[in-house]
Amino acid sequence: MAERRRLPKWLKKRLPSGPEAARTRRLVEELGLATVCESAKCPNIWECYARRVATFMILGETCTRGCRFCGVPQGTPGPPDPDEPRRVAEAVKRLGLRHAVITSVTRDDLDDGGAAHFAATIEAVRAANPETTIEVLTPDFRGSREALRRVLDTEPTVFNHNVETVPRLYPSVRPSADYARSLDVLRAARALRPGTLTKSGLMVGLGETRDEVEAVLADLRAAGVAVVTIGQYLQPTKQHLPVAAFIAPEVFCDYEARADELGFAAAFCGPFVRSSYHAAEVLARSGPPTTA
């Protein structure tokens, strides 16, 4: 595997000071929960924890797929924990979250891909925190409309499913996924629940071209996606795909401008951007979904 590249100055950030980050981590551990912040080795983890924000990862900490960009371990997961929805709801309450983001590992071993567990978690969070808006970041459920409908019937505020990269790179980056299927999931979510804001995101720096990124933006908008995020890929470990390029901040500005031209309700693009980074603020910028 190629040696890791040295980080440019715009990808170096100062760690926050103060006790809040440690308190957030202790709360997550106390409740026996997983966060994608830790499992995926997110560079923003301590900033978010210091703001008492975390993205909860349900259905275990082992993924049935082996995407070559992702730090979440791949293997054979255990059965879903029926008490997990209650504990996520308790964490949301104790952190005082006004916007909760819930994601999961991919569970191709389950008949419904984990959709019922997603639904149970949404319902538990809403029951304990009726004023909190809820965003879900789901896998593709292998394209199952029934599974997708099960999640959407609980009426999350935001439905997020990431395309992650450009279609040409799927065989090397997401060998078990399918670009057209991901677009179809987003299109179907828009059709099944027009009142839910749809969102997607991708990483850059994997070897894509600017034209390819702009083509993905056009595809997402055509699928009815309202909110898009674009961030810099960072290699989680030496066993993962190396970074092909560090994308300059001005290029992210160009992508955001192009997204605005295409009519997205909100676009959040930058080196440290991730799907759930400042998700509450992105939602506030988005406004209600439109019928366009």
Side-chain angles (χ1 to χ4, degrees), residues 6-7 16-17 20 28 32 38 48 79 84 87 93 100 115 171 179 181 188 197 217-218 224 226 229 231 236 239 258:
R6 185 182 297 274
L7 292 178
S17 58
E20 287 301 330
V28 169
E38 296 201 42
C48 293
E84 186 175 53
R87 300 198 310 275
K93 191 180 193 78
Y179 179 74
R181 182 168 63 195
L197 204 70
L217 288 174
T229 60
Q239 284 68 52
R258 180 58 183 146

Coordinates of all heavy atoms in Angstrom, one line a residue, residues 6-7 16-17 20 28 32 38 48 79 84 87 93 100 115 171 179 181 188 197 217-218 224 226 229 231 236 239 258:
R6 N 1.5 13.6 3.2 CA 1.6 14.6 4.2 C 0.4 15.5 4.1 O 0.0 16.0 3.0 CB 2.9 15.4 4.1 CG 3.1 16.3 5.3 CD 4.4 17.1 5.1 NE 5.5 16.2 5.1 CZ 6.1 15.8 6.2 NH1 5.7 16.2 7.4 NH2 7.2 15.0 6.2
L7 N -0.3 15.8 5.2 CA -1.5 16.7 5.1 C -1.1 18.1 4.8 O -0.1 18.7 5.3 CB -2.2 16.7 6.5 CG -2.9 15.4 6.9 CD1 -3.5 15.6 8.3 CD2 -4.0 15.0 5.9
P16 N -10.1 20.8 20.3 CA -10.8 21.7 21.3 C -10.3 21.4 22.7 O -9.8 20.3 23.0 CB -12.2 21.3 21.1 CG -12.2 19.9 20.6 CD -11.0 19.8 19.7
S17 N -10.3 22.4 23.5 CA -9.9 22.3 24.9 C -11.2 22.2 25.7 O -12.3 22.6 25.3 CB -9.0 23.4 25.3 OG -9.7 24.7 25.1
E20 N -15.9 19.0 27.8 CA -17.1 18.5 27.2 C -16.9 17.3 26.3 O -17.7 16.4 26.3 CB -17.8 19.6 26.5 CG -18.5 20.7 27.3 CD -19.5 20.1 28.3 OE1 -20.1 19.1 27.9 OE2 -19.7 20.6 29.4
V28 N -21.6 8.2 26.0 CA -21.7 7.2 24.9 C -21.3 5.8 25.4 O -22.0 4.8 25.2 CB -20.9 7.6 23.7 CG1 -20.9 6.4 22.7 CG2 -21.6 8.8 23.0
G32 N -23.5 2.2 26.4 CA -23.1 1.1 25.5 C -23.5 1.3 24.1 O -23.9 0.4 23.4
E38 N -16.4 7.6 16.1 CA -15.2 6.8 16.5 C -15.0 5.6 15.6 O -13.8 5.3 15.2 CB -15.5 6.3 18.0 CG -15.6 7.4 19.0 CD -15.3 6.9 20.4 OE1 -14.4 6.1 20.6 OE2 -16.0 7.4 21.3
C48 N -16.9 17.8 17.5 CA -18.3 17.5 17.7 C -18.6 17.0 19.1 O -19.6 17.5 19.7 CB -18.7 16.4 16.7 SG -18.7 16.9 15.0
P79 N -26.6 -10.4 16.4 CA -28.1 -9.9 16.2 C -28.3 -8.5 16.7 O -27.5 -8.1 17.6 CB -28.8 -11.0 17.0 CG -27.8 -11.5 18.0 CD -26.5 -11.4 17.4
E84 N -31.3 -1.3 22.2 CA -30.5 -0.2 21.7 C -31.3 1.1 21.4 O -30.9 2.2 21.7 CB -29.7 -0.6 20.4 CG -28.8 0.4 19.8 CD -28.0 -0.2 18.7 OE1 -28.6 -0.7 17.7 OE2 -26.7 -0.1 18.7
R87 N -31.7 3.2 24.4 CA -30.4 3.8 24.9 C -30.1 5.0 24.0 O -29.5 6.0 24.5 CB -29.3 2.8 24.9 CG -29.6 1.6 25.9 CD -28.3 0.9 26.3 NE -27.5 0.4 25.2 CZ -27.7 -0.7 24.5 NH1 -28.7 -1.5 24.8 NH2 -26.9 -1.0 23.5
K93 N -31.5 12.5 24.8 CA -32.1 13.3 25.9 C -31.1 13.9 26.8 O -31.1 15.1 27.1 CB -33.1 12.5 26.7 CG -33.9 13.2 27.7 CD -34.9 12.3 28.4 CE -35.9 13.0 29.2 NZ -37.0 13.5 28.3
A100 N -31.0 15.0 16.0 CA -30.3 13.7 16.2 C -30.0 13.0 14.9 O -30.9 12.9 14.0 CB -31.1 12.8 17.1
A115 N -34.1 -2.4 8.6 CA -35.0 -1.3 8.6 C -35.9 -1.2 9.8 O -36.3 -0.1 10.3 CB -35.9 -1.5 7.3
P171 N -16.1 0.2 -8.5 CA -15.4 -1.1 -8.4 C -14.3 -1.1 -7.4 O -14.0 -2.1 -6.8 CB -15.0 -1.4 -9.8 CG -15.9 -0.6 -10.7 CD -16.2 0.6 -9.9
Y179 N -24.0 2.3 -7.9 CA -24.3 3.7 -8.0 C -25.8 3.9 -8.5 O -26.5 4.7 -7.9 CB -23.4 4.4 -9.1 CG -23.6 5.9 -9.3 CD1 -23.3 6.8 -8.3 CD2 -24.2 6.3 -10.5 CE1 -23.5 8.2 -8.5 CE2 -24.4 7.7 -10.7 CZ -24.1 8.6 -9.7 OH -24.3 9.9 -9.9
R181 N -28.2 1.9 -8.1 CA -29.1 1.5 -7.0 C -29.2 2.6 -5.9 O -30.3 2.9 -5.4 CB -28.7 0.2 -6.4 CG -29.6 -0.3 -5.3 CD -29.2 -1.8 -4.9 NE -27.8 -1.8 -4.4 CZ -27.2 -3.0 -4.2 NH1 -27.7 -4.1 -4.6 NH2 -26.0 -3.0 -3.7
A188 N -36.6 7.0 -4.8 CA -37.8 6.3 -4.2 C -38.1 7.0 -2.9 O -39.3 7.1 -2.6 CB -37.5 4.8 -4.0
L197 N -37.0 15.6 3.8 CA -35.9 16.2 3.1 C -34.9 15.1 2.7 O -34.5 14.3 3.6 CB -35.2 17.2 4.0 CG -34.5 18.4 3.3 CD1 -35.4 19.3 2.6 CD2 -33.6 19.1 4.3
L217 N -23.4 15.5 -9.1 CA -24.3 16.6 -8.6 C -25.6 16.7 -9.4 O -26.7 16.8 -8.9 CB -23.6 17.9 -8.5 CG -22.5 18.1 -7.4 CD1 -21.8 19.4 -7.6 CD2 -23.1 18.0 -6.0
A218 N -25.4 16.6 -10.7 CA -26.6 16.7 -11.6 C -27.5 15.5 -11.4 O -28.7 15.6 -11.4 CB -26.1 16.8 -13.1
G224 N -34.1 14.2 -7.2 CA -34.9 14.9 -6.2 C -34.2 15.2 -4.9 O -34.8 15.6 -3.9
A226 N -32.3 17.1 -2.1 CA -32.4 18.6 -1.8 C -31.1 19.1 -1.1 O -30.8 20.3 -1.3 CB -33.5 18.8 -0.8
T229 N -23.6 17.1 0.5 CA -22.4 17.3 1.2 C -21.2 16.8 0.4 O -21.3 15.7 -0.2 CB -22.4 16.8 2.6 OG1 -22.6 15.3 2.5 CG2 -23.5 17.3 3.5
G231 N -16.9 16.2 0.9 CA -15.8 16.4 1.8 C -14.5 15.7 1.3 O -14.6 14.9 0.3
P236 N -8.3 6.1 6.5 CA -8.4 5.8 7.9 C -7.2 5.0 8.5 O -6.8 5.2 9.6 CB -9.7 5.0 8.0 CG -10.3 4.9 6.7 CD -9.3 5.5 5.7
Q239 N -4.3 0.2 5.6 CA -4.9 -0.9 4.8 C -6.0 -0.4 3.9 O -6.5 -1.2 3.1 CB -5.5 -2.0 5.8 CG -4.5 -2.9 6.4 CD -3.6 -2.2 7.4 OE1 -4.1 -1.5 8.3 NE2 -2.3 -2.3 7.2
R258 N -21.7 25.3 -7.9 CA -22.3 24.5 -8.9 C -23.6 23.9 -8.4 O -24.6 23.8 -9.0 CB -21.4 23.4 -9.5 CG -22.0 22.6 -10.5 CD -22.5 23.4 -11.7 NE -23.1 22.5 -12.7 CZ -24.1 23.0 -13.5 NH1 -24.6 24.2 -13.3 NH2 -24.7 22.1 -14.4

